[in-house]
């Protein structure tokens, strides 16, 4: 074979080999680039998902309770009692209650008119102790926020009216609607003259949160373990299915006055 032909064939084979190597290298670079883009996209998407998940599970910071500020007119040991009715009344109704407690709502709805009538006649005064039992059992802040708002209403001299509005609009026990301060402010609009700038600030700031917690601690330290706990002249009168309390029985107990 002519040496020139051999050199020509070798050069052609070498050029073909070099061309194939370039194509392989080009294809490899393309695959590497695509893979890099995919990795970056996946990592970016993962970072976005992680941010959403982290945000959705980010624990709420506990609300700062602040200094202990008792509402105006609070009485009793440690000033954890809100009184209603004439102080000169011979009989006293004592109620431990939680604004989220359905049993408390039942008591209020059945006995509200009777209690008010006896108060208006000067025969009964009522002492209210606000408790946050449902917040502890089911989670949430509705018991605390509602109690604080009620204490703010006490500052304005409208505890009784606002107390009744809260129970008339009580949500289901599992629906922590009273945790929303906007809801508590909306309900305050049903009490003439209550929703002032001062009241709104008191509700929004949680002015009486520490006081509510103090009231709840007093309940936990007492012999009573459930809400509502209802006493007439110091004697428990509510919650016994064998001897249920009725409005007529309440009137009789109040009329009898304190024993001894």
């Amino acid at each position: 074979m002519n040496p020139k032909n051999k050199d020509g064939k070798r050069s052609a084979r070498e050029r073909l080999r070099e061309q194939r190597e370039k194509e392989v290298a080009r294809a490899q670079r393309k695959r590497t680039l695509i893979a890099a883009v995919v990795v970056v996209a996946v990592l970016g998407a993962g970072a976005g998902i992680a941010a959403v998940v982290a945000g959705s599970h980010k624990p709420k910071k506990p609300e700062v309770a602040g200094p202990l500020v008792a509402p105006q007119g609070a009485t009793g040991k440690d000033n954890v009692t809100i009184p209603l009715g004439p102080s000169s009344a011979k009989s006293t109704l004592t109620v431990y209650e939680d604004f989220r407690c359905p049993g408390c709502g039942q008591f209020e709805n059945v006995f509200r008119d009777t209690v008010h009538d006896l108060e208006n006649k000067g025969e009964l005064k009522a002492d209210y102790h606000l408790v946050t039992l449902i917040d502890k059992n089911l989670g949430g802040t509705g018991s605390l926020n509602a109690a604080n708002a009620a204490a703010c209403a006490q500052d304005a001299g409208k505890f009784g009216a606002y107390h009744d509005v809260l129970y008339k609009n009580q949500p289901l026990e599992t629906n922590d609607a009273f945790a929303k301060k906007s809801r508590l402010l909306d309900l305050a609009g049903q009490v003439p003259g209550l929703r002032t700038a001062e009241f709104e600030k008191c509700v929004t700031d949680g002015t009486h949160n520490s006081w509510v917690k103090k009231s709840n601690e007093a309940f936990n330290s007492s012999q009573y373990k459930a809400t509502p706990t209802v006493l007439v002249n110091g004697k428990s009168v509510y919650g016994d299915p064998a001897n249920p309390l009725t409005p007529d029985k309440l009137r009789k107990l109040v009329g009898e006055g304190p024993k001894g």
Side-chain angles (χ1 to χ4, degrees):
M1 180 180 292
N2 189 314
K4 293 183 178 181
N5 291 339
K6 290 177 66 177
D7 292 340
K9 288 181 180 181
R10 186 183 304 111
S11 298
R13 285 196 299 269
E14 290 176 353
R15 287 196 299 272
L16 181 59
R17 179 176 55 80
E18 292 173 357
Q19 181 64 29
R20 287 177 178 174
E21 289 176 351
K22 290 179 181 179
E23 290 176 356
V24 170
R26 188 182 301 113
Q28 180 64 34
R29 287 195 300 271
K30 184 176 181 181
R31 286 194 296 269
T32 301
L33 178 61
I34 293 174
V37 171
V38 171
V39 169
V40 170
V42 170
L43 289 176
I49 294 172
V52 173
V53 172
S56 64
H57 292 284
K58 185 178 181 180
K60 294 182 179 179
K61 294 182 178 179
E63 189 168 351
V64 177
L68 197 156
V69 181
Q72 295 292 323
T75 62
K77 183 181 179 180
D78 296 327
N79 291 325
V80 294
T81 303
I82 293 183
L84 279 182
S87 59
S88 59
K90 292 183 178 181
S91 290
T92 301
L93 176 75
T94 303
V95 182
Y96 293 85
E97 62 180 9
D98 183 328
F99 286 108
R100 288 182 69 185
C101 162
C104 300
Q106 291 172 3
F107 172 79
E108 289 296 331
N109 291 331
V110 171
F111 292 94
R112 180 185 298 115
D113 292 342
T114 302
V115 171
H116 288 339
D117 182 53
L118 291 169
E119 288 173 342
N120 292 335
K121 290 179 178 179
E123 299 176 11
L124 181 70
K125 60 181 177 179
D127 288 339
Y128 289 94
H129 300 259
L130 306 185
V131 180
T132 59
L133 187 64
I134 305 302
D135 282 359
K136 177 182 178 182
N137 292 344
L138 297 183
T141 58
S143 301
L144 172 64
N145 289 354
N148 172 70
C152 296
Q154 170 67 11
D155 288 339
K158 297 180 182 295
F159 172 82
Y162 188 60
H163 169 276
D164 292 351
V165 166
L166 289 179
Y167 277 115
K168 289 177 182 179
N169 294 273
Q170 186 186 57
L172 293 175
E173 183 180 19
T174 54
N175 178 7
D176 195 19
F178 286 166
K180 297 180 180 179
K181 296 179 180 180
S182 58
R183 175 60 175 162
L184 297 170
L185 293 174
D186 287 343
L187 291 175
Q190 298 184 26
V191 179
L194 176 57
R195 189 168 180 178
T196 62
E198 185 177 4
F199 173 80
E200 290 187 2
K201 186 176 189 306
C202 183
V203 172
T204 302
D205 293 351
T207 299
H208 298 298
N209 280 359
S210 290
W211 174 84
V212 173
K213 293 178 180 180
K214 184 70 174 180
S215 177
N216 188 68
E217 289 171 3
F219 170 75
N220 289 335
S221 299
S222 73
Q223 59 182 307
Y224 312 117
K225 304 303 177 186
T227 55
T229 290
V230 181
L231 315 174
V232 174
N233 299 321
K235 180 182 178 180
S236 181
V237 297
Y238 190 75
D240 182 0
N243 185 27
L245 184 67
T246 67
D248 287 341
K249 286 184 179 179
L250 178 59
R251 290 181 183 277
K252 183 179 179 180
L253 289 170
V254 170
E256 291 174 351
K259 301 297 182 180

